[in-house]
Amino acid sequence: METLHRLDQTLLLWLNQFAGHSAALDMAVRGIANIYLIKLGVLCAALWWLWFRRDDMEGGRRLVVDALTAVVLAVAASIVIQAVMPARPRPLHDAGLAFVPPIGQSREALKNWSSFPSDNAALAFALAATFVRASRPWGLLACLWAAAIVSLPRVYLGLHYPGDVTGGALIGIASAYATARLLPMGGIHRLAAWAEERWRPWFYSGAFLAIYEMMVLFEDVRRAAGGAAKLLRALIG
């Protein structure tokens, strides 16, 4: 474990040598990392393309249901791991690490959240690994996007170690595999098809909201849950 931690630090500090020298570079990386439309919007748009494609509409819709199921599994697994494992400080918050924050990057970002695993990587790779089933070239391109656009900027900014995003990626890929090979998805596919046919306006309104929340990593849901928890503690106290 100590060897892996040292390797994590070595890779992080190698990448960190490029930070703090160019405001344009650091600003570009922060933009990629913080603008959801860039990092996850493209992958989420691909879900709609799969759903409405005409050459294999039924197969495409099954893949979308599988992708959303894989995302739920990946994010849930990431949250559980963060909750049960000892909290890992992010590189930005590790006082013993000679990390230089990129220009404009606050050291207070995500200070109360554990670094391992990366739920950004878990979600992105759950989608990308499912897309491989639709088209291997496009699926592999989606995996490259998940690595270079979603995961790498978070390491550059000091929000994660390389091992954090690798762990998240493995969780996402494992969730996609479990959905494709291990879970009984037939009933869920039939339920989705029935709901789309029976309550079409409500179905697409709900689907839009669900995919939007997925694109922003359920940030609104997390804030609402955190606020509800604080209110409950205040009422009990």
Side-chain angles (χ1 to χ4, degrees):
M1 187 65 70
E2 183 62 29
T3 301
L4 291 176
H5 183 61
R6 285 199 300 269
L7 177 61
D8 237 2
Q9 290 184 335
T10 299
L11 293 174
L12 174 80
L13 293 177
W14 178 85
L15 184 61
N16 186 236
Q17 68 180 305
F18 302 103
H21 303 294
S22 168
L25 174 62
D26 291 355
M27 185 181 300
V29 175
R30 284 192 293 112
I32 292 171
N34 295 323
I35 299 175
Y36 292 113
L37 191 61
I38 295 177
K39 65 177 183 178
L40 290 174
V42 172
L43 298 179
C44 289
L47 291 174
W48 293 105
W49 184 87
L50 278 173
W51 185 269
F52 288 108
R53 71 176 186 173
R54 296 187 177 184
D55 57 329
D56 184 14
M57 184 171 288
E58 184 178 350
R61 293 187 172 190
R62 286 198 300 267
L63 277 175
V64 170
V65 174
D66 288 355
L68 295 177
T69 302
V71 164
V72 170
L73 289 177
V75 173
S78 178
I79 292 173
V80 169
I81 292 171
Q82 289 172 1
V84 301
M85 288 186 65
R88 185 185 196 189
R90 297 176 187 269
L92 276 172
H93 313 139
D94 190 342
L97 185 67
F99 181 84
V100 178
I103 297 171
Q105 178 60 44
S106 171
R107 281 194 177 270
E108 300 302 311
L110 301 175
K111 194 165 188 176
N112 297 320
W113 294 80
S114 178
S115 181
F116 181 87
S118 167
D119 46 13
N120 282 259
L123 190 156
F125 275 93
L127 289 176
T130 302
F131 293 157
V132 172
R133 295 166 53 197
S135 166
R136 181 161 294 183
W138 285 105
L140 293 177
L141 183 61
C143 289
L144 180 61
W145 186 276
I149 303 300
V150 178
S151 302
L152 186 60
R154 300 185 68 78
V155 178
Y156 182 90
L157 295 175
L159 299 174
H160 287 293
Y161 287 95
D164 300 333
V165 297
T166 301
L170 292 175
I171 290 171
I173 293 170
S175 297
Y177 177 84
T179 302
R181 301 295 184 184
L182 303 178
L183 298 183
M185 294 297 296
I188 299 177
H189 294 154
R190 290 190 293 272
L191 178 62
W194 175 80
E196 190 270 343
E197 181 65 28
R198 179 69 176 80
W199 293 303
R200 188 161 296 175
W202 292 101
F203 179 86
Y204 283 109
S205 297
F208 169 79
L209 291 175
I211 292 178
Y212 170 79
E213 282 299 322
M214 186 175 68
M215 186 180 74
V216 299
L217 277 164
F218 307 100
E219 186 172 313
D220 297 329
V221 176
R222 294 186 185 193
R223 287 181 178 177
K230 290 180 180 178
L231 178 61
L232 181 60
R233 286 195 295 269
L235 291 174
I236 294 176

